[in-house]
Amino acid sequence: MLYLVPTPIGNLEDMTFRAIRVLKEADVILAEDTRTSAPLLKHFGIEKKVFAHHQHNEHKAISEIIRFLKEGQTIALISDAGTPAISDPGFLLVREAIKEGLEVQCLPGATAFVPALVNSGLPNDRFCFEGFLPVKKGRQTRMKFLAEEKRTMIFYESPHRILKTIDEFIQVFGAERQASISRELSKLYEENVRGTLIDLKLHFENNPIKGEFVFCVGGLE
């Protein structure tokens, strides 16, 4: 069995009882970064063999992981925070496990874009998750494609690019497009900023830019 186990995006109280049990019972834990996962596992008293599984080694590691699964081992995959395979490693392994007829289960749990969408105040009956936009090649093409999108759009962005992205969105969607930015979700300094894109620009030009960002942009009305 391959389990995909969500981990807290900040607040450790968001870890589920089931997630803790699965990690304790697993034969092997795969972690995006073993240094990041170590404090989490220690906090919940989970003592297991942990191996790195990230974007730089996942192609090479898949065949060996599949072999372990075929031998009857239970493997749990975690990312640094949130649900594996959502803008994190995991998709390739899941796809290969399914091809090989192996059982895969993803536990419900923490992920950043759901609370950001729900508390944005933007329509959430229909939405599209875009994750991280391309940094260079294809970035402008993707933005132009989304200019006519009518659903609420959800993006992930890093602190050092957030102001640039706001400026680009103003050019593509217009300064008065409604949007919301959430950062440090579930943590002590959680912040949700709502308003037009120009409102968001003014806010982050005059306030500290720290943490990971979820950017929700209203669709074309």
Side-chain angles (χ1 to χ4, degrees):
M1 172 78 79
L2 171 64
Y3 286 103
L4 282 76
V5 182
T7 55
I9 58 175
N11 193 321
L12 292 179
E13 292 181 0
D14 293 333
M15 191 75 166
T16 68
F17 293 121
R18 186 182 176 202
I20 295 169
R21 177 183 60 79
V22 167
L23 291 175
K24 285 185 175 181
E25 294 177 354
D27 296 302
V28 174
I29 296 174
L30 303 177
E32 185 180 1
D33 188 329
T34 56
R35 295 166 299 180
T36 302
S37 62
L40 174 76
L41 298 176
K42 182 178 180 181
H43 179 83
F44 291 108
I46 300 166
E47 298 179 359
K48 292 288 176 178
K49 291 183 289 186
V50 182
F51 298 96
H53 184 76
H54 46 70
Q55 63 178 344
H56 302 296
N57 75 349
E58 60 179 336
H59 287 84
K60 294 180 180 179
I62 284 176
S63 59
E64 187 173 14
I65 297 168
I66 295 298
R67 178 172 63 82
F68 288 157
L69 289 167
K70 286 183 174 180
E71 290 174 354
Q73 296 196 48
T74 296
I75 296 178
L77 173 66
I78 61 176
S79 61
D80 287 349
T83 301
I86 302 296
S87 293
D88 280 320
F91 162 69
L92 295 176
L93 177 56
V94 170
R95 182 176 65 180
E96 193 62 27
I98 292 172
K99 281 182 181 179
E100 295 293 331
L102 297 164
E103 193 167 356
V104 178
Q105 284 192 16
C106 180
L107 276 60
T111 189
F113 80 82
V114 173
L117 171 64
V118 173
N119 71 31
S120 71
L122 297 170
N124 55 32
D125 54 331
R126 297 173 67 245
F127 60 89
C128 61
F129 175 72
E130 291 293 322
F132 288 99
L133 287 166
V135 177
K136 294 180 181 178
K137 186 178 180 181
R139 186 177 178 88
Q140 293 303 317
T141 301
R142 190 64 193 162
M143 286 188 184
K144 289 178 182 177
F145 175 82
L146 292 170
E148 302 299 317
E149 177 60 64
K150 295 183 178 180
R151 298 169 293 178
T152 297
M153 296 161 278
I154 307 168
F155 306 88
Y156 285 166
E157 193 51 280
S158 61
H160 67 275
R161 279 200 301 266
I162 192 68
L163 285 175
K164 175 186 176 183
T165 299
I166 294 174
D167 283 336
E168 291 173 325
F169 282 0
I170 287 173
Q171 294 174 20
V172 174
F173 302 120
E176 297 304 311
R177 182 72 65 94
Q178 290 294 312
S180 171
I181 291 180
S182 298
R183 68 177 189 90
E184 297 291 86
L185 282 165
S186 83
K187 299 177 184 177
L188 181 62
Y189 297 106
E190 175 176 334
E191 180 182 32
N192 298 282
V193 184
R194 307 170 183 91
T196 63
L197 286 171
I198 196 66
D199 291 334
L200 270 55
K201 175 182 170 67
L202 293 172
H203 175 85
F204 286 105
E205 282 180 339
N206 294 283
N207 289 277
I209 299 177
K210 295 180 180 180
E212 297 299 320
F213 291 76
V214 184
F215 202 156
C216 298
V217 180
L220 184 66
E221 296 182 356

